Each structure stands twice: as structure tokens, then as C-alpha cells.
Amino acid sequence: MTSPPARSHTAAAGTVSAATAPCPVVVIAADGHVVELNAAAAGLLPAARSGRRLLSPDWLAAASGDTRAVSGPVGDRFFSAHPSAAAGDSTAWWLVDETECRSLLTELEAERARTRFLNDASTALLSSLNLDRCTEVTARLATQYLADAALVISPAAANGRLPVVLCDQRGEVSRRTVTNSPDTVPGLTEALRGFPPVPAQWIDPSTAPGWLVPADFGEVGSLAVTPLPGHGVSAGALVLLRRGREAAFTDGDEILARLFAARAGAAMSAARLYAEQNTISETLMRELLPPTLQHLAGVDFAGGYRPSKDTERVGGDFYDVHPPGEDFPETLAVLGDVAGKGLEAAVLTGKIRNTLQALLPLAGDHTRMLRLLNNAMRTSHHTRFATLVLASVRREESDVVLRLTAAGHPPPLVLRRDGTVEEVETRGSLIGVLPTVTAHTAHVRLAPGETCLLFTDGVTEARGGPLGDTLFGEQRLMRAAAECVGMPAEAVVERIQMVTAQWLGDGRHDDIAVMAITAPRGSHLSAVDGTTRGRYTA
């Protein structure tokens, strides 16, 4: 009699014989001879005989006298053997077929490995919105996990060339463009159009053209082509190459390749969309950013702008300088401030700047320009208002003459050569709020070396100081301006910006814009018509 392995060696109740056991059982004496075996064990171990030493399987023969379970193959199957005490000093070994269980465990581990690969691939692919990096990561990951070499082929460019990223058998990534038709690779044309992939078993690897195979790769044993699906359109195609005839792609390999391609295609499509949107944003941003100012029509102009957040490039403050034209003989400088911050305010500044440019032929009458601008803003869908200063500038011999009109804006300051700072007497109503506009235009003459300073309330309302909550104020601005007397226009702007930034520290602030209009010292050496740039005598 024998006890089943789950019971104690000394248990008598519930014992069963080898003959009645539900699984193969072989009883082996301490000296390795078979004492007894049931029919199931005899069928499993045809060489085993009662009274003879057990020789096969060797892993079970070697376990004689062992009290621990052992396991190993028997033919094409896998068994675990569990010992229990039998009569005398013999041991009954209960053999449990674990072939299916091991197969399931192997499959489970393979599935876990595939899942880890796909998760790691998603993390790597989504770590950057750079399209070039994304295609390189796709090719490198495919070579590491799916094939001996991989190519990422993007849809044909406008010139008909196919952009290709190749990761070869050494893991080295390279870029190239090919003029060959995708029809030379079976299934590539369909993949680039986003059609379902052609099974690898249907593709003859010997038909792979030379441009598809890396140098020193050897014979292509298997070739797979799968589309890289994007957002509505194909992001390209993934080509996988394996060396050796025995390295064919299985159905499981192709399913894994498609799952990977779906992630890679989505990442590439997102990167391409980001690049397109970034290009559009850069183009629009250039139109919204204040221009670079310089010497114009015999007058020095300089400007500086700082948005309310360091993470933004545009905001509600703006300035422009329009050179004289056929219908307006004076240079028109504009500095303004739209209520609000960020992109929304910047969009309205763009509209105001475009409207003012269209009204340039009326620059001789500031009030009329402001009235028309006010009407345009009040009929728009937004509810924002704006303040601004118009400055018509012309050169009269060595002096510079200005007509200045403020519309709800802080009045400009004039930096005289004797060190005094004057506030220009100009006032006016906000733009975009009231049905009518009132404005008073002031006339100012600048002697050589004198400057007219235009600024937004981001300067005077900058909160900072020792406690971080004190306004910079008009008096501090005037003292700072007095320190700039006699400086070139660029230096005046830099100085005002620096003093304001020091006052702010790391605190939050509004948009800040500053413009300096300076009468140059001396005469222009190369000026002929008043618009030619050149050097000045000191």
C-alpha cells in the first residue's frame, strides 16, 4: 500500500494502491530497483520492469531516496514526480503531467515579455515630440526586439523621394532618401497607403532590392512589411529583416509587429502634427512679436518688450514704427497696451497693429485715426479695450519734432540735455470702450542727444522692492530716466528694462514695453535723403 503525496508518511487512513492511483505511480526501493508500477506508469515508462533497476528517465532514477519532488521530461512531455513513503524502505513516486501547465506558463511569460516591450516602446516613443527622434527610436526598437534590421520609410516627399531611417544589424542608425519606387518592395506601396499588411509568408525575401538591405547583412531569410497607422493618414511603413532561412516570422511575431507599429505610427503622427503646428505658430508669432527698431529717417528708435510670463513670447503690449510713405511724410511710432495678457491679448494687438497700418494715410490727424480705430474695436466680438500713444516724428535740421497723442495711456517722458525729465502734456480716452474719442495732441522738439521715452503701465505698476508689494511708480521711473540723459536710444531702453527687472525680482508682473525716440548727436555722414543708414559724428 502507498500513501498519496499530499498525506503524511505515517498516515494509514485513505491510502490507495498503485493500481488504483489516478496517475502513473512507480514504487522504487532504496537500491533503485522497481518494486511496483501501475498500468499508467508502465505505459509511460515502457523500459521499467518490476525487480529491475530503473534507468530511464535519468532524473527520476537519480532521485532514489530523495524526499523532495523532482521533475523532468519524459519523451515529448514534462512530468513532476512527488514522493511518498511505501512499504519497507521503498518510495512511491506519483507522476503528474505538467506539459500543458508549462506550456501555458511559457506562453504567459512570453506575453508578459511582449507587454513589457510594448510598454517600454510606448514610453520611449512618447518621450519626445521630435519627428526625427521618433523615427530613429522606432527603427532602433524594432531592431532590438523584432528583427535583425529595421527600416522606417515615410511617405514620399514632394520631390518623389522616400525618406528612410535604417537601423542595421549592428544597431547603427542612418538616414537616406531613395528615388526607387515603393513597388520594388512587395507590400510596401500598400503599407504606405495604410492598407492591411501582406503576410510575411507571402513575401519572397529574395526580391528585396539592394537599397533595402544594410551593408554586410548577408542573405535575407525573412521580410515583413507593416503599415505605421497615423491619425487618419498613414505615418509610413515599417520593414523588418531577418537573416537565415530558419528565422521566419511567425503569426505571433507579425501580431507583435503590428501592435508595435500602431504605437509607433501614433507617436510619429503626433510628432508630425506638432511640427506642423509649431511651424504655423512660429509664422504667426513672428507677426505678433514687436519688430526690431533701428535708425530711420534720421531718427534713432529703440524698443524693448517683456511678456508677463517668461514662458510666453507674446502678450498685450506692443510697439511699431512705420517709415514715411507716399501719403504720410512723417514716421509714425505707436506704443500700446491691450487689456489682458497672453495669446488672447496678443491676437487683439495684431488686429490693432494691422488696423493702424491701414490707417497710415491718415497719420496727419491723430484724433481721426484713433476715432476710426475705436469704431473698429467696438464693432468686434471681443470686450477688451486698449490704450496707446501715437508719435509722428520728423527731422528738422539737427532737431527732431514730434506730435504726441496719448489715448488713455501714460504720457511720454522727455529727457532733456540739462538732466531734467519732462512729462508730455497729452491726454485722451480709452480705445474700444466709449462711442466717441477725445484726445489732445502735444508738440515736442528734441535737440540732439535728447530722448522721448514711451512706456506701458507695466513699468510704473511693477510690484517689487524690499517686500515685493510696492509699485515702481512714476517718480522712480523719472529718476531712472534722469540717469539716462544723453544716452543712445538702445542704452535708454536697456537701462529702464534693467531697473524695472531689478525692482521686480522674481515677482509676477504685467507685460512691459518701452520705446525710446532719440535725436541723434551730430550730422549723418552718409545720409542723402534722410533714410539712408550710416554713422554719426560724435
Side-chain angles (χ1 to χ4, degrees):
M1 301 292 287
T2 62
S3 300
R7 299 184 180 274
S8 168
H9 285 257
T10 60
T15 59
V16 296
S17 67
T20 61
C23 62
V25 177
V26 56
V27 181
I28 305 174
D31 59 2
H33 286 74
V34 176
V35 176
E36 181 185 2
L37 72 166
N38 63 5
L44 179 66
L45 308 172
R49 295 287 188 274
S50 295
R52 294 183 182 180
R53 179 179 293 277
L54 181 68
L55 300 177
S56 178
D58 54 358
W59 56 270
L60 181 58
S64 178
D66 204 337
T67 59
R68 295 174 300 176
V70 294
S71 60
V74 178
D76 59 353
R77 304 187 69 77
F78 192 92
F79 285 81
S80 61
H82 302 268
S84 64
D89 58 354
S90 60
T91 302
W93 292 92
W94 303 68
L95 279 74
V96 180
D97 190 345
E98 295 186 348
T99 305
E100 186 176 352
C101 179
R102 285 179 62 86
S103 177
L104 292 174
L105 289 174
T106 301
E107 186 176 339
L108 177 60
E109 184 56 35
E111 183 61 31
R112 287 173 174 170
R114 288 192 290 268
T115 302
R116 285 194 297 270
F117 161 61
L118 292 174
N119 287 338
D120 292 344
S122 296
T123 301
L125 289 165
L126 296 175
S127 64
S128 173
L129 284 174
N130 182 283
L131 181 58
D132 290 341
R133 172 174 168 76
C134 195
T135 54
E136 290 180 5
V137 169
T138 299
R140 186 175 287 110
L141 287 173
T143 300
Q144 290 176 353
Y145 294 97
L146 302 174
D148 295 315
L151 297 92
V152 177
I153 304 176
S154 301
N159 58 9
R161 294 175 175 268
L162 291 173
V164 176
V165 175
L166 165 68
C167 184
D168 62 18
Q169 65 275 15
R170 295 178 292 273
E172 297 178 359
V173 177
S174 60
R175 290 182 170 273
R176 65 180 72 166
T177 56
V178 296
T179 57
N180 305 69
S181 170
D183 293 336
T184 58
V185 182
L188 180 56
T189 300
E190 293 79 5
L192 288 173
R193 292 175 180 171
F195 294 160
V198 175
Q201 292 82 351
W202 295 7
I203 301 176
D204 183 1
S206 63
T207 62
W211 64 267
L212 197 69
V213 183
D216 302 325
F217 186 77
E219 181 185 9
V220 179
S222 188
L223 171 65
V225 180
T226 187
L228 293 165
H231 299 299
V233 295
S234 174
L238 176 65
V239 180
L240 304 174
L241 304 174
R242 285 184 178 176
R243 295 181 289 186
R245 289 294 180 180
E246 69 282 357
F249 289 98
T250 65
D251 291 341
D253 292 337
E254 293 194 48
I255 292 174
L256 180 60
R258 292 176 200 173
L259 293 173
F260 169 71
R263 287 161 171 75
M268 290 171 59
S269 184
R272 184 174 285 113
L273 180 61
Y274 175 79
E276 292 173 355
Q277 292 179 338
N278 194 49
T279 300
I280 294 172
S281 297
E282 286 291 335
T283 302
L284 295 176
M285 200 72 73
R286 284 195 295 269
E287 295 299 318
L288 295 176
L289 287 171
T292 301
L293 304 185
Q294 55 190 14
H295 180 82
L296 182 65
V299 182
D300 288 338
F301 294 90
Y305 172 72
R306 181 181 178 182
S308 59
K309 295 181 180 178
D310 293 335
T311 55
E312 297 177 347
R313 296 176 58 191
V314 295
D317 288 8
F318 66 96
Y319 55 77
D320 273 314
V321 174
H322 303 279
E326 206 174 312
D327 299 320
F328 46 99
E330 300 172 311
T331 299
L332 180 68
V334 183
L335 181 139
D337 182 1
V338 171
K341 304 173 185 178
L343 186 58
E344 259 190 72
V347 171
L348 183 56
T349 67
K351 179 176 180 179
I352 293 175
R353 293 168 68 185
N354 290 336
T355 303
L356 288 173
Q357 188 165 17
L359 295 175
L360 283 178
L362 305 178
D365 187 343
H366 287 183
T367 302
R368 187 181 180 190
M369 282 188 76
L370 295 173
R371 187 182 303 120
L372 293 173
L373 176 62
N374 184 67
N375 292 338
M377 288 186 62
R378 293 185 67 246
T379 56
S380 184
H381 67 279
H382 62 79
T383 57
R384 297 177 183 269
F385 63 88
T387 68
L388 51 87
V389 177
L390 300 179
S392 290
V393 186
R394 71 177 187 275
R395 183 77 178 264
E396 285 189 0
E397 297 181 351
S398 61
D399 292 347
V400 172
V401 177
L402 300 92
R403 289 187 297 112
L404 295 162
T405 306
H409 200 85
L413 301 178
V414 176
L415 285 58
R416 296 298 185 187
R417 288 189 297 187
D418 60 3
T420 59
V421 177
E422 304 171 358
E423 187 176 88
V424 178
E425 293 294 330
T426 175
R427 296 287 188 275
S429 54
L430 298 171
I431 301 299
V433 178
L434 303 174
T436 59
V437 171
T438 59
H440 171 70
T441 300
H443 295 75
V444 172
R445 179 178 291 271
L446 301 177
E450 295 183 337
T451 296
C452 179
L453 180 66
L454 284 63
F455 57 93
T456 59
D457 59 10
V459 176
T460 54
E461 295 181 5
R463 289 187 178 274
L467 301 179
D469 60 352
T470 305
L471 291 178
F472 187 70
E474 296 179 2
Q475 294 302 317
R476 287 189 181 85
L477 175 59
M478 294 186 75
R479 287 197 295 270
E483 298 172 357
C484 301
V485 169
M487 291 184 180
E490 294 86 351
V492 173
V493 170
E494 290 178 6
R495 175 62 180 169
I496 298 301
Q497 285 185 308
M498 182 186 70
V499 172
T500 306
Q502 289 175 341
W503 183 259
L504 284 168
D506 296 329
R508 300 177 62 182
H509 59 87
D510 199 353
D511 299 322
I512 297 172
V514 181
M515 179 191 293
I517 306 172
T518 301
R521 293 179 179 274
S523 58
H524 199 292
L525 296 181
S526 59
V528 176
D529 58 359
T531 62
T532 306
R533 296 181 64 189
R535 297 182 180 275
Y536 292 87
T537 58

